Amino acid sequence: MNRTDEQEAIAFAIGRRMERREIEALRDAVSCAAVLEQAGFAIDVKESTRRAVKFRRSSEIVIVTHQGRGWFDPLSEAKGDVFGLVEHLDRASFHEAIEKVAALVGFEISAPEWKSRSPADKSDLSLSDRWRARRRPWPGSLTWRYLHDERCLPTSLLRTAIKRDLLREGPQGSLWAAHTNHAGDITGWEARGPQYRGFASGGAKVLFRLGPDAAMRLAVTEAAIDAMSLAAIEGLRDGTLYLSTGGGWSPITGAALGALASRPTVLLVAATDANPQGDLFAERLRALAHEAGCDWMRLRPPQEDWNEAMKARAKQRNEHRKSEGGRKEEEECRMRSGRVNGGFARLEPALDPAGRDVGGMTQVIATVGGKRGDHVDAPLPCAEPRIFSRFRHQ
């Protein structure tokens, strides 16, 4: 039976009441990927695997699983089969979803060429054994150079994270950043490298955690490298637990964040990316804070994410050093010229430009319970994040 014959048979079945076996056959005949391609979504190859293919359309994300038979939205609780996907995207009824899925029978999807899995992914070892089998990064190692030289993370921050057993050397100089549950057990790890981005095969995203478990300020980011970047920018601020969701929002992640936020006097800081996806994550965190009854604050990075802010800060610092070095060399030349002329050249005193802020914490006015006047510390004077709002739920 060709595609036209199949569609005619399905149309006939839709005209009368479809039986369960016919609905099951239609579900097997059409992949969720076909629905997404037809709806204008595109595959994000860098963040996809054979088992979980990430599709994007503007700020929307849908991840297809189970060889195309299932899907879920990491930015909400929505998930299901191909019919549920059509209902989710088009706000359609189940009957309308059947018709739209039937129209896609025989649709050829654009499948990416997957690279062969690494030996680490093929391992039969448990997650904890695979973690222990890897070395911690050390000064000069490939992973250390990736984090320090390319990602501009300072040595002191890296030593702190390594001492707390949060980092491992992944394949080909990539980084493994541990996700743990409330008991401290390894549940998986974010894998990042110059040419690779993913998550541990067989692992579960919970939370990357850098800081004291009892901290009352929870800074939530979307990636472990962003969490470490914000920690470096803030100088590992006292009483702060820097967290990463790993770019997803599973029920396990939501439950872990809810447990942390439900403690008294907690401030939940939405330090997600400065883009539409980051804003959606921030809204989910605001809703979680409302449900838990804790304070909430939006902390947007001055660049798209906190690591970009970290790299911009490092670039600014290097340019400043070069500028200072040039001025020092010019001053030495003037001194030498003075000696040649039989004396020392008189130099003008070095004055700070008018109004220059010489370090220190910057404060901004926030709104608490609808009243002005509460001060919230902004964590960095050189790359100031913008703080939108903070609420206290009664």
Coordinates of all heavy atoms in Angstrom, one line a residue, residues 44 47 56 58-59 61 151 197 220-223 225-227 229-230 233 270-279 281 298-313 383-386 388:
D44 N 18.6 20.7 17.1 CA 19.8 21.3 17.7 C 20.8 20.1 17.8 O 20.8 19.4 18.8 CB 19.5 21.9 19.0 CG 20.7 22.6 19.6 OD1 21.8 22.3 19.2 OD2 20.5 23.5 20.5
E47 N 23.1 19.6 20.9 CA 22.6 19.3 22.2 C 21.7 18.0 22.1 O 20.9 17.8 23.0 CB 21.8 20.4 22.8 CG 22.6 21.7 23.1 CD 21.9 22.7 23.9 OE1 20.9 22.3 24.5 OE2 22.4 23.9 23.9
R56 N 14.2 22.9 18.3 CA 14.0 24.3 18.7 C 13.2 25.1 17.7 O 13.3 24.9 16.5 CB 15.3 25.0 18.9 CG 16.2 24.6 20.1 CD 17.4 25.4 20.2 NE 18.3 25.0 21.2 CZ 18.3 25.4 22.5 NH1 17.4 26.3 22.8 NH2 19.1 25.0 23.4
S58 N 12.4 29.2 17.8 CA 12.6 30.4 18.6 C 12.9 30.0 20.1 O 13.9 29.3 20.3 CB 11.3 31.2 18.6 OG 11.4 32.4 19.2
S59 N 12.1 30.4 21.0 CA 12.4 30.0 22.4 C 11.8 28.7 22.9 O 12.0 28.3 24.0 CB 11.9 31.1 23.4 OG 10.5 31.3 23.3
I61 N 11.2 24.7 23.0 CA 12.1 23.5 23.0 C 11.2 22.2 23.2 O 10.3 22.2 24.0 CB 13.1 23.5 24.0 CG1 14.1 24.7 23.8 CG2 13.9 22.2 24.0 CD1 15.1 24.8 25.0
R151 N 37.5 29.1 29.0 CA 36.3 29.5 29.7 C 36.6 30.6 30.7 O 35.7 31.2 31.4 CB 35.7 28.3 30.4 CG 35.1 27.3 29.4 CD 33.9 27.9 28.6 NE 33.2 26.9 27.9 CZ 31.9 27.0 27.6 NH1 31.2 28.1 27.9 NH2 31.3 26.0 26.9
R197 N 28.8 18.7 23.7 CA 27.9 19.1 24.8 C 26.8 18.0 25.0 O 26.1 17.6 24.1 CB 27.2 20.4 24.4 CG 26.4 21.1 25.4 CD 25.9 22.5 24.9 NE 25.3 23.3 25.9 CZ 24.8 24.5 25.7 NH1 24.9 25.0 24.4 NH2 24.3 25.2 26.6
V220 N 20.4 29.9 40.8 CA 20.1 28.9 39.8 C 20.4 29.3 38.4 O 20.0 30.3 37.9 CB 18.6 28.5 39.9 CG1 18.3 27.3 38.9 CG2 18.2 28.1 41.3
T221 N 21.3 28.5 37.8 CA 21.7 28.8 36.4 C 21.3 27.6 35.5 O 20.8 26.6 36.0 CB 23.2 29.0 36.3 OG1 23.9 27.8 36.6 CG2 23.7 30.1 37.3
E222 N 21.6 27.7 34.2 CA 21.3 26.6 33.3 C 22.4 25.6 33.0 O 22.2 24.6 32.3 CB 20.7 27.2 32.0 CG 19.5 28.0 32.2 CD 19.0 28.7 30.9 OE1 18.9 28.0 29.9 OE2 18.9 29.9 30.9
A223 N 23.6 26.0 33.4 CA 24.8 25.1 33.1 C 25.8 25.2 34.2 O 25.9 26.3 34.8 CB 25.4 25.5 31.8
I225 N 29.0 25.4 34.0 CA 30.0 26.4 33.8 C 29.5 27.8 34.1 O 30.3 28.6 34.6 CB 30.5 26.3 32.3 CG1 31.4 25.0 32.1 CG2 31.3 27.5 31.9 CD1 31.9 24.8 30.7
D226 N 28.2 28.0 33.8 CA 27.6 29.3 34.2 C 27.6 29.4 35.7 O 27.8 30.5 36.3 CB 26.2 29.4 33.6 CG 26.3 29.7 32.1 OD1 27.2 30.3 31.7 OD2 25.3 29.3 31.5
A227 N 27.3 28.4 36.4 CA 27.2 28.4 37.9 C 28.6 28.7 38.5 O 28.7 29.6 39.4 CB 26.7 27.1 38.5
S229 N 31.0 30.3 36.8 CA 31.3 31.6 36.4 C 30.7 32.7 37.3 O 31.4 33.6 37.8 CB 30.9 31.9 35.0 OG 31.5 31.0 34.1
L230 N 29.4 32.5 37.7 CA 28.8 33.4 38.6 C 29.5 33.4 40.0 O 29.7 34.4 40.6 CB 27.3 33.1 38.7 CG 26.5 34.0 39.7 CD1 26.6 35.4 39.3 CD2 25.0 33.5 39.7
I233 N 32.6 35.4 39.7 CA 32.3 36.8 39.7 C 31.9 37.4 41.0 O 32.3 38.4 41.4 CB 31.2 37.1 38.6 CG1 31.7 36.8 37.2 CG2 30.7 38.5 38.8 CD1 30.7 36.8 36.1
A270 N 17.0 33.7 40.3 CA 16.9 33.1 38.9 C 18.0 33.8 38.1 O 17.9 34.8 37.5 CB 15.5 33.5 38.3
A271 N 19.2 33.1 38.1 CA 20.4 33.6 37.4 C 20.5 32.9 36.0 O 21.6 32.6 35.6 CB 21.6 33.4 38.2
T272 N 19.4 32.7 35.4 CA 19.4 32.0 34.1 C 19.8 33.0 33.0 O 20.0 34.2 33.2 CB 18.0 31.5 33.8 OG1 17.0 32.5 34.0 CG2 17.7 30.3 34.8
D273 N 19.9 32.5 31.8 CA 20.5 33.2 30.6 C 19.7 34.4 30.3 O 18.4 34.5 30.5 CB 20.7 32.3 29.4 CG 21.7 31.2 29.6 OD1 22.4 31.2 30.6 OD2 21.7 30.3 28.8
A274 N 20.3 35.4 29.7 CA 19.6 36.6 29.2 C 19.1 36.4 27.8 O 19.5 37.1 26.9 CB 20.6 37.8 29.3
N275 N 18.2 35.5 27.7 CA 17.5 35.2 26.4 C 16.1 34.7 26.7 O 15.8 34.5 27.8 CB 18.4 34.3 25.5 CG 18.6 33.0 26.2 OD1 17.9 32.5 27.0 ND2 19.8 32.4 26.0
P276 N 15.3 34.5 25.6 CA 13.9 34.0 25.9 C 13.8 32.7 26.7 O 13.0 32.6 27.5 CB 13.4 33.9 24.5 CG 14.1 34.9 23.6 CD 15.5 34.9 24.2
Q277 N 14.7 31.8 26.4 CA 14.7 30.5 27.1 C 15.0 30.8 28.6 O 14.4 30.2 29.5 CB 15.7 29.5 26.5 CG 15.7 28.2 27.3 CD 16.7 27.2 26.7 OE1 16.8 27.1 25.5 NE2 17.4 26.4 27.5
G278 N 16.0 31.6 28.8 CA 16.4 32.0 30.2 C 15.2 32.6 31.0 O 15.0 32.4 32.1
D279 N 14.5 33.5 30.2 CA 13.3 34.2 30.9 C 12.2 33.2 31.2 O 11.6 33.3 32.2 CB 12.8 35.3 29.9 CG 13.8 36.4 29.8 OD1 14.6 36.6 30.7 OD2 13.7 37.2 28.8
F281 N 12.7 30.0 32.0 CA 13.2 29.3 33.2 C 13.0 30.2 34.4 O 12.6 29.7 35.5 CB 14.7 28.9 33.0 CG 15.0 27.6 32.4 CD1 15.5 27.5 31.1 CD2 14.6 26.4 33.0 CE1 15.8 26.3 30.5 CE2 14.9 25.2 32.5 CZ 15.4 25.1 31.2
R298 N 15.2 38.0 40.1 CA 15.8 37.8 38.8 C 17.1 38.5 38.7 O 17.3 39.7 38.9 CB 14.8 38.4 37.7 CG 15.4 38.2 36.3 CD 15.4 36.8 35.8 NE 15.6 36.6 34.4 CZ 16.6 36.0 33.8 NH1 17.6 35.6 34.6 NH2 16.7 35.9 32.5
L299 N 18.1 37.7 38.3 CA 19.5 38.2 38.1 C 20.0 37.9 36.7 O 20.4 36.8 36.4 CB 20.4 37.6 39.2 CG 21.8 38.2 39.4 CD1 21.7 39.6 39.9 CD2 22.7 37.4 40.3
R300 N 19.9 38.9 35.8 CA 20.3 38.7 34.4 C 21.7 38.9 34.2 O 22.2 40.0 34.7 CB 19.4 39.6 33.5 CG 18.0 39.2 33.4 CD 17.2 40.2 32.6 NE 17.7 40.2 31.2 CZ 17.1 39.6 30.2 NH1 16.0 38.9 30.4 NH2 17.5 39.7 28.9
P301 N 22.4 38.1 33.5 CA 23.9 38.4 33.2 C 24.0 39.5 32.2 O 23.1 39.7 31.4 CB 24.4 37.1 32.6 CG 23.1 36.4 32.1 CD 22.0 36.8 33.0
P302 N 25.1 40.3 32.3 CA 25.2 41.4 31.4 C 25.5 41.0 29.9 O 25.3 41.7 29.0 CB 26.4 42.2 31.9 CG 27.2 41.2 32.8 CD 26.1 40.2 33.3
Q303 N 26.0 39.7 29.8 CA 26.1 39.1 28.5 C 25.0 38.0 28.4 O 24.1 37.9 29.2 CB 27.5 38.5 28.3 CG 28.6 39.4 28.6 CD 28.8 40.5 27.5 OE1 28.5 40.3 26.4 NE2 29.2 41.7 27.9
E304 N 25.0 37.2 27.3 CA 24.0 36.2 27.2 C 23.9 35.2 28.3 O 22.9 34.7 28.7 CB 24.1 35.5 25.8 CG 22.9 34.5 25.6 CD 22.9 33.9 24.2 OE1 23.7 34.3 23.4 OE2 22.0 33.2 23.9
D305 N 25.1 34.8 28.8 CA 25.2 33.9 30.0 C 26.3 34.4 30.9 O 27.1 35.3 30.5 CB 25.3 32.5 29.6 CG 26.5 32.2 28.7 OD1 27.6 32.6 29.1 OD2 26.4 31.5 27.7
W306 N 26.5 33.7 32.0 CA 27.5 34.2 33.0 C 28.9 33.8 32.5 O 29.8 34.5 32.9 CB 27.2 33.5 34.4 CG 26.0 34.1 35.0 CD1 24.7 33.6 35.1 CD2 25.9 35.5 35.5 NE1 23.9 34.5 35.7 CE2 24.5 35.6 35.9 CE3 26.7 36.5 35.6 CZ2 24.1 36.8 36.5 CZ3 26.3 37.7 36.2 CH2 25.0 37.9 36.6
N307 N 29.1 32.8 31.7 CA 30.4 32.5 31.3 C 30.9 33.6 30.2 O 32.0 34.0 30.2 CB 30.6 31.1 30.7 CG 32.0 30.8 30.4 OD1 32.4 30.5 29.2 ND2 32.9 30.8 31.4
E308 N 29.9 34.0 29.4 CA 30.2 35.1 28.5 C 30.6 36.4 29.3 O 31.5 37.1 28.9 CB 29.0 35.4 27.5 CG 28.8 34.3 26.5 CD 30.0 34.1 25.6 OE1 30.6 35.1 25.2 OE2 30.3 32.9 25.3
A309 N 29.9 36.6 30.4 CA 30.2 37.7 31.2 C 31.6 37.6 31.8 O 32.4 38.5 31.9 CB 29.2 37.9 32.3
M310 N 32.0 36.3 32.2 CA 33.3 36.0 32.8 C 34.4 36.3 31.8 O 35.4 36.9 32.1 CB 33.3 34.6 33.2 CG 34.5 34.1 34.0 SD 34.4 34.7 35.7 CE 36.0 35.5 35.8
K311 N 34.1 35.9 30.5 CA 35.1 36.1 29.5 C 35.3 37.5 29.1 O 36.4 38.0 28.9 CB 34.8 35.2 28.2 CG 34.9 33.7 28.5 CD 34.8 32.9 27.2 CE 33.4 32.8 26.8 NZ 33.2 31.8 25.6
A312 N 34.2 38.3 29.1 CA 34.3 39.7 28.8 C 35.0 40.4 29.9 O 35.8 41.3 29.7 CB 32.9 40.3 28.7
R313 N 34.8 40.0 31.2 CA 35.5 40.6 32.3 C 37.1 40.3 32.2 O 37.9 41.2 32.4 CB 35.0 40.0 33.6 CG 35.4 40.6 34.9 CD 34.9 39.9 36.0 NE 35.0 40.6 37.3 CZ 35.2 40.1 38.5 NH1 35.3 38.8 38.6 NH2 35.3 40.8 39.5
A383 N 30.9 44.2 35.9 CA 29.9 43.7 34.9 C 28.6 43.6 35.5 O 28.2 42.5 35.9 CB 30.4 42.4 34.3
E384 N 27.9 44.7 35.8 CA 26.8 44.7 36.7 C 25.6 44.0 36.1 O 25.2 44.3 35.0 CB 26.4 46.1 37.1 CG 27.5 46.8 37.9 CD 27.1 48.3 38.2 OE1 25.9 48.6 37.9 OE2 27.9 49.0 38.7
P385 N 25.1 43.0 36.8 CA 23.8 42.3 36.3 C 22.7 43.3 36.6 O 22.7 44.1 37.5 CB 23.7 41.1 37.1 CG 24.4 41.4 38.4 CD 25.5 42.3 38.0
R386 N 21.6 43.1 35.9 CA 20.4 43.9 36.1 C 19.4 43.1 37.0 O 19.0 42.0 36.6 CB 19.8 44.3 34.8 CG 20.6 45.3 34.0 CD 20.2 45.3 32.6 NE 20.7 44.1 31.9 CZ 20.6 43.9 30.6 NH1 20.1 44.8 29.9 NH2 21.1 42.8 30.1
F388 N 15.8 42.7 38.3 CA 14.5 43.1 37.9 C 13.5 43.3 39.1 O 12.9 44.3 39.3 CB 13.9 42.2 36.9 CG 14.4 42.4 35.5 CD1 15.3 41.4 35.0 CD2 14.2 43.5 34.8 CE1 15.8 41.6 33.7 CE2 14.7 43.7 33.5 CZ 15.5 42.8 33.0

